Amino acid sequence: MTSSRTNPEGPTDPEDLSGSAAWELLLPAVSAPARTRGRSLQAALREAVRSGRLAPGTRLPSSRDLAADLGVSRGLVTEAYEQLTAEGYLRSGRGAGTWVGGAVRAARPRARDLAPRSPGARVDFVPGTPDLSLFPRTAWAAAQRSVLAESPHDLLGYPDPRGLPRLRTALAELLARRRGVAADPERLIVVSGVAQATALLGFVLHARGMRTVGVEDPGSPQHDALYASAGVGTVPLPLDDEGLAVGPLRASGVRAVVATPAHQFPTGIAYSARRRAQLLDWARSVDGLVFEDDYDGDFRYDRAPVGALQGLDPEHVAYAGSVSKSLAPGLRLGWLLVPASLADEVVERKRTMDLGHPTLDQALFARFLERGDYDRQLRRCQRAYRQRRDTLVAALEEHFPGAGVTGIAAGLHVIAELPEQYGPQDGFLDRAASAGVAVRPLTAYAHARADDAVVRLVLGYAHLSPARIRAGVRLMAGALHPDGL
């Protein structure tokens, strides 16, 4: 088939049925008996438009060309075109050809978006997302062009399941320099994020006979489901002012535990030096493992960075991190550093899980690290997030006098404990929601969830501009005191 793609009234780059084999979807219709062939062709075209197989904006062949391809009379095709144009399925113009109309766009099936979000919220304080507008598009695009131009063809083959040696070397240098990690590139595995790192360890521990893992309580709600997918249960373990409480940990009988010692999620505390030593003593005494989730280790504002626990005992600590907070979670790019005793099993599990991380993404990130672009990005984010933290603290002081704010020295969220008059917590949350503010209480991250007379909120701020932060706090206060706005 041949036809012009000129369409002065239609989309600038429409799909075109011409020159393709898409007309084959009409062949069953024209094989119908002669007396019903016209109706069958019309029905086939109508269904193709309804189902989305012929999308809005698709240009159809001329009646002459389609008739020749289908082996039917031109009049049969012309009649079908005219009938569907009258029904609104097609549109045509003098000299512009025949096109699938836009009125049937809703008939095309759409994929559901299951990404976590707070639909309908005017201001969303739910933590976990960075400011995606800070993603360094220009530098990333430049690195991408360079990688595509310079990479040998064999880079596109199946990779080492651990990751590209170039990237593992660059990551080892970064982690040793910024986080005090004892980083051996041979024990680093490039993963699609901390979630995959967690699942990988879960499968390996299960294969070794472990059926339970300890988790911080309160802590990340994702751990339960991730370990359950590997056949491993979780045991919630309480915290005290210094970190994970050692007594309950020893009494639990577990031999592996998940911890966030640099900046506990969600309370924001940093494990004390004494508690870090006690945690490692426990791991050695049971020949166990601490899985260190360094989810926001690069963001420190009012204190010196707390080095990673892994650097103190790399044979009893597995360490994981990602670019989800520093660049974007959609990149699905992270790392897992494991003890030598686990390395072979984790690598083999990674191989069977996905045959390795995408090589072009790895080469691109390696270049980003080597040229200093990642360090520049971290500094840029640090400046922005410090400002937003300060804005949030000031807004809380203004609109909720007497509120206690903790966990502010690091990370991307704070804990706000409001004075008693703002409770009970459930009532406060209902009023905040009615004002269009999405917010999570601290109890949402605990295994035993109950109403609380005192309102304790986990407020994420990294993804919000200073203006949105001020507006959100004002909306919450206005929901409690409507006359005060």
Side-chain angles (χ1 to χ4, degrees):
M1 302 177 194
T2 58
S3 68
S4 170
R5 291 179 62 85
T6 302
N7 176 28
E9 299 177 357
T12 57
D13 186 20
E15 301 178 50
D16 197 333
L17 193 65
S18 304
S20 76
W23 56 266
E24 292 179 356
L25 60 89
L26 304 177
L27 288 176
V30 298
S31 65
R35 65 179 182 277
T36 62
R37 193 170 298 157
R39 292 193 300 273
S40 296
L41 178 59
Q42 294 173 27
L45 275 170
R46 193 179 292 114
E47 179 56 29
V49 174
R50 285 174 176 167
S51 67
R53 295 177 70 186
L54 289 180
T58 299
R59 182 172 185 171
L60 300 183
S62 69
S63 58
R64 185 189 304 277
D65 287 341
L66 185 57
D69 284 330
L70 296 178
V72 297
S73 69
R74 183 182 179 187
L76 201 70
V77 175
T78 300
E79 183 179 354
Y81 279 5
E82 291 175 348
Q83 179 61 36
L84 268 69
T85 298
E87 295 176 8
Y89 287 93
L90 305 179
R91 58 186 174 84
S92 61
R94 183 178 298 276
T98 302
W99 306 76
V100 176
V104 294
R105 186 176 297 274
R108 193 171 194 176
R110 298 189 58 164
R112 292 187 299 151
D113 184 356
L114 298 181
R117 62 190 74 248
S118 302
R122 297 171 66 184
V123 180
D124 184 354
F125 282 111
V126 176
T129 304
D131 183 350
L132 301 179
S133 71
L134 293 179
F135 184 78
R137 291 174 181 261
T138 300
W140 195 260
Q144 190 172 52
R145 288 192 297 271
S146 297
V147 165
L148 286 171
E150 299 168 0
S151 296
H153 296 311
D154 59 11
L155 180 73
L156 301 176
Y158 289 109
D160 182 331
R162 293 171 299 176
L164 295 184
R166 175 186 178 187
L167 176 55
R168 288 186 283 117
T169 299
L171 278 173
E173 189 279 330
L174 173 83
L175 297 175
R177 172 168 53 85
R178 295 191 65 95
R179 303 296 300 124
V181 167
D184 180 353
E186 296 302 297
R187 289 154 55 177
L188 260 174
I189 299 99
V190 179
V191 293
S192 63
V194 175
Q196 187 182 52
T198 302
L200 283 170
L201 276 180
F203 282 116
V204 170
L205 295 178
H206 183 274
R208 289 189 165 206
M210 289 193 193
R211 295 296 180 267
T212 55
V213 170
V215 294
E216 296 170 323
D217 189 19
S220 172
Q222 298 182 24
H223 289 140
D224 293 351
L226 289 169
Y227 281 108
S229 69
V232 177
T234 53
V235 177
L237 298 170
L239 306 169
D240 60 25
D241 292 342
E242 295 186 75
L244 196 65
V246 178
L249 171 61
R250 293 188 182 279
S252 69
V254 301
R255 292 181 49 230
V257 66
V258 184
T260 51
H263 187 238
Q264 201 278 329
F265 183 85
T267 66
I269 65 173
Y271 281 29
S272 68
R274 183 173 78 104
R275 185 55 46 82
R276 289 155 68 90
Q278 291 173 334
L279 186 57
L280 292 177
D281 286 342
W282 163 83
R284 297 181 194 115
S285 69
V286 299
D287 190 24
L289 180 74
V290 178
F291 177 38
E292 181 178 14
D293 179 358
D294 199 23
Y295 70 98
D296 65 354
D298 283 305
F299 299 111
R300 297 290 177 270
Y301 311 118
D302 303 323
R303 68 175 186 222
V306 179
L309 188 70
Q310 189 270 356
L312 300 174
D313 192 342
E315 296 309 317
H316 288 94
V317 180
Y319 174 90
S322 77
V323 303
S324 292
K325 304 299 186 291
S326 53
L327 287 171
L331 293 179
R332 306 313 306 136
L333 185 59
W335 45 87
L336 172 62
L337 182 60
V338 296
S341 59
L342 293 176
D344 289 345
E345 294 166 78
V346 172
V347 170
E348 183 57 27
R349 176 60 68 171
K350 171 68 174 174
R351 184 196 308 277
T352 58
M353 182 175 286
D354 60 15
L355 295 180
H357 202 74
T359 53
L360 287 176
D361 292 347
Q362 293 187 64
L364 198 165
F365 187 45
R367 181 182 176 86
F368 215 68
L369 291 169
E370 294 161 352
R371 293 172 58 87
D373 291 321
Y374 190 63
D375 284 302
R376 282 188 285 275
Q377 171 69 6
L378 290 174
R379 290 193 294 271
R380 180 188 183 198
C381 291
Q382 182 117 346
R383 290 192 298 270
Y385 296 155
R386 180 196 290 269
Q387 179 192 18
R388 294 170 196 198
R389 180 208 61 176
D390 293 345
T391 299
L392 177 57
V393 172
L396 289 169
E397 289 175 351
E398 176 184 355
H399 293 286
F400 294 93
V405 185
T406 57
I408 64 174
L412 305 178
H413 70 274
V414 303
I415 303 296
E417 181 173 323
L418 305 187
E420 290 184 3
Q421 67 262 31
Y422 294 106
Q425 183 167 273
D426 280 355
F428 177 91
L429 296 174
D430 288 342
R431 292 191 292 275
S434 69
V437 180
V439 65
R440 293 261 178 90
L442 183 60
T443 52
Y445 299 92
H447 281 74
R449 300 185 183 181
D451 190 17
D452 199 328
V454 178
V455 182
R456 297 181 179 89
L457 305 176
V458 183
L459 300 174
Y461 56 80
H463 58 293
L464 298 171
S465 68
R468 296 307 298 157
I469 291 170
R470 288 189 289 267
V473 175
R474 187 172 63 250
L475 282 170
M476 281 196 295
L480 301 172
H481 307 292
D483 297 333
L485 276 179

